[in-house]
Amino acid sequence: MPVEGFVAIGAGLAVGLAGIGAGLGEQGIGAAAVGAMAEDPDFFGRGLLMTVIPETIVIFGLVISFLLMFM
């Protein structure tokens, strides 16, 4: 059986599912952060930080895909 094909599918799933999960998590956080910044502009730094945190999950998915492809 061609193992390389299964590895490529696994790497694609790692990045794709991580991206979908981060997008779903960020939609609520982004809306809340924009609402909080509309009320208090001093919240900008914390709101920006809270919207960036879910995107780190995609970086982990990308690292896993690189590990699958090259190890």
Side-chain angles (χ1 to χ4, degrees), residues 13-58:
L13 283 173
V15 174
L17 293 176
I20 289 171
L24 290 174
E26 195 169 341
Q27 75 181 14
I29 294 171
V34 168
M37 284 186 280
E39 292 179 13
D40 185 10
D42 293 335
F43 192 74
F44 177 75
R46 286 180 281 178
L48 182 65
L49 180 67
M50 291 300 161
T51 57
V52 170
I53 287 175
E55 293 179 12
T56 59
I57 302 298
V58 178

